[in-house]
Amino acid sequence: MEEPVIAQRTPYLKEMTPSAYYWCRCGRSKSQPFCDSSHKGTGFAPLAVTITESKRVAFCGCKHTGTPPSCDGTHAKLPK
């Protein structure tokens, strides 16, 4: 399977309000950390995320997290 593009090597910290969102898994979106359909033609699809209360979220920016869509620190272990 194709590897995702590393959008950034730190999390995207976002103040979120209750709603449905689509987290970008491919790393190609220009609307990071959310999907803008740049994955078309790849083996990637966005991840549907439902936020039920207003809160700050650390979305993974490297796209290699083991706990999508949340950052788990994997970016610190990726080769430069």
Side-chain angles (χ1 to χ4, degrees):
M1 181 177 189
E2 187 177 350
E3 287 288 315
V5 172
I6 298 171
Q8 72 177 30
R9 291 181 178 272
T10 56
Y12 290 95
L13 299 176
K14 299 284 187 182
E15 295 296 331
M16 303 301 295
T17 56
S19 191
Y21 299 91
Y22 292 90
W23 177 69
C24 169
R25 288 186 194 206
C26 72
R28 292 172 171 79
S29 175
K30 301 293 185 227
S31 302
Q32 291 294 335
F34 306 110
C35 179
D36 68 0
S37 297
S38 294
H39 63 274
K40 299 288 184 187
T42 71
F44 293 97
L47 176 66
V49 178
T50 301
I51 302 292
T52 58
E53 60 187 54
S54 294
K55 62 182 175 179
R56 189 175 210 196
V57 178
F59 289 102
C60 175
C62 74
K63 311 303 176 180
H64 288 80
T65 182
T67 59
S70 302
C71 175
D72 68 359
T74 299
H75 59 272
K77 300 174 192 142
L78 295 175
K80 302 276 179 196

